[in-house]
């Protein structure tokens, strides 16, 4: 388990890895909201966008060394928002944009960057 909003946990996790070929970002939360509560938007952004960003930055030296890959597991809500949880849709859209930007920025360093746009899932 890793809390992607905790910088110390991210640093500790990265320090404990000797080599890395593939980094999969899968952290996320899904809260109902109507954009009337800024805290819900900030919480989604902290996990879905900044969490993935900080994890990528911490593990990037290892991925550059191995010519590895980043896989960001996002959501179709990045492209088609749901009114039940607009903060989630906004944060995953930002993470999708970051993924596309990193794809171009890291290609020259030998790191491939992918997005998985997962559709609806049912918890088991």
């Amino acid at each position: 388990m890793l809390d992607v909003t905790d910088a110390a946990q991210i640093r500790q996790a990265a320090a404990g890895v000797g080599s890395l070929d593939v980094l999969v970002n899968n952290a996320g939360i899904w809260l109902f909201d109507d954009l009337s509560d800024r805290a819900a938007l900030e919480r989604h952004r902290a996990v879905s966008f900044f969490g993935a960003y900080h994890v990528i930055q911490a593990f990037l030296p290892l991925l550059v060394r191995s010519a590895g890959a980043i896989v960001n597991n996002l959501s179709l809500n990045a492209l088609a928002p749901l009114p039940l949880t607009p903060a989630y849709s906004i944060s995953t859209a930002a993470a999708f944009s970051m993924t596309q930007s990193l794809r171009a920025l890291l290609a020259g360093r030998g790191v491939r960057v992918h997005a998985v746009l997962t559709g609806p899932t049912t918890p088991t």
Side-chain angles (χ1 to χ4, degrees):
M1 298 279 299
L2 173 67
D3 180 350
V4 298
T5 65
D6 185 322
Q9 283 189 29
I10 294 170
R11 282 191 304 273
Q12 183 179 13
V17 176
S19 65
L20 182 66
D21 294 320
V22 179
L23 172 67
V24 178
N25 279 310
N26 192 43
I29 59 171
W30 198 78
L31 306 171
F32 292 103
D33 73 282
D34 63 1
L35 290 181
S36 64
D37 181 9
R38 181 182 170 133
L41 182 58
E42 290 177 359
R43 190 161 172 218
H44 276 98
R45 189 178 58 172
V47 173
S48 299
F49 178 75
F50 284 113
Y53 171 80
H54 292 302
V55 169
I56 289 166
Q57 293 305 310
F59 286 93
L60 188 56
L62 296 169
L63 293 167
V64 169
R65 195 172 319 138
S66 70
I70 298 166
V71 178
N72 289 331
N73 188 15
L74 305 170
S75 168
L76 281 175
N77 288 115
L79 306 176
L82 285 176
L84 296 171
T85 181
Y88 173 79
S89 299
I90 290 166
S91 66
T92 199
F96 181 56
S97 184
M98 175 182 64
T99 302
Q100 293 175 299
S101 297
L102 286 172
R103 182 177 300 124
L105 292 168
L106 296 178
R109 297 174 70 185
V111 177
R112 296 169 315 278
V113 182
H114 308 279
V116 175
L117 297 172
T118 306
T121 59
T122 304
T124 56

